[in-house]
Amino acid sequence: MSIDAVRDLLPAYAKDISLNLSSLANETLLTDQQKWGCFLASAHAIGVGPVVKAIEAAAAEKLSPEAMSAAKAAAAIMGMNNIYYRSLHLMKNHEYTTLPARLRMNVLANPGVEKIDFELWSTAVSAINGCGACLDAHEGELKKHAVPSTQIQAALRIAAVVHAASRIAASEAALA
């Protein structure tokens, strides 16, 4: 299965999104694991069934079972962390930033894939979930490992387009 299954969910008015999906599926700035992990983590972060199924099928052709699991883990852990850390960032009372989070985050230490790949996926999910604190933290880790801005941008572009495709697919399904 290819990204065309997602494109088939999109109506004519979303032609730009459809074309962007094709372009990003052929992106060469990222390895296949980085790219398809971004697609998969982003789809799971949004959770629109038909898009998740289509991207999961396409990613399964490119990712090992371990990488599939790690991409889903990135969506899961960032689903929690993005809410928690975004809240701390938005609150005027900064006392909460001095308190221990007391949330389990073991997967961050041992995600089962290269740390850079997991950080890219976490960055993509953090963009979807709108957590500036997490975006800064993950981008900082990527920069420590000399990941070029163009690769980080590619992960953000994938997140943006998967988000748009998911929202459009959900809207169109609601009308059906």
Side-chain angles (χ1 to χ4, degrees), residues 12-101:
Y13 69 78
K15 183 177 181 180
D16 288 331
I17 306 307
S18 178
L19 293 172
N20 286 328
L21 281 166
S22 288
S23 302
L24 290 166
N26 294 311
E27 178 69 67
T28 59
L29 290 169
L30 302 173
T31 67
D32 275 350
Q33 179 164 296
Q34 291 168 339
K35 174 176 49 183
W36 288 101
C38 280
F39 271 105
L40 186 59
S42 296
H44 274 273
I46 302 157
V48 173
V51 175
V52 173
K53 284 180 182 178
I55 288 179
E56 186 144 334
E61 296 176 6
K62 304 287 184 179
L63 298 176
S64 68
E66 296 81 14
M68 295 276 291
S69 180
K72 293 176 194 181
I77 198 73
M78 289 300 107
M80 175 184 71
N81 285 358
N82 293 157
I83 297 301
Y84 180 76
Y85 289 107
R86 182 175 68 212
S87 297
L88 297 184
H89 176 75
L90 293 172
M91 294 173 77
K92 290 181 183 177
N93 183 346
H94 295 286
E95 175 186 1
Y96 298 102
T97 63
T98 67
L99 301 173

Side-chain angles (χ1 to χ4, degrees), residues 62-147:
K62 304 287 184 179
L63 298 176
S64 68
E66 296 81 14
M68 295 276 291
S69 180
K72 293 176 194 181
I77 198 73
M78 289 300 107
M80 175 184 71
N81 285 358
N82 293 157
I83 297 301
Y84 180 76
Y85 289 107
R86 182 175 68 212
S87 297
L88 297 184
H89 176 75
L90 293 172
M91 294 173 77
K92 290 181 183 177
N93 183 346
H94 295 286
E95 175 186 1
Y96 298 102
T97 63
T98 67
L99 301 173
R102 293 190 186 164
L103 297 170
R104 293 189 185 274
M105 301 178 218
N106 296 332
V107 73
L108 296 176
N110 187 16
V113 294
E114 293 291 323
K115 182 78 168 151
I116 289 172
D117 296 358
F118 194 80
E119 290 291 335
L120 280 168
W121 304 341
S122 296
T123 301
V125 174
S126 295
I128 289 165
N129 292 333
C131 182
C134 292
L135 281 166
D136 286 341
H138 293 291
E139 191 239 3
E141 283 298 310
L142 290 165
K143 287 299 187 178
K144 283 182 195 174
H145 290 92
V147 175

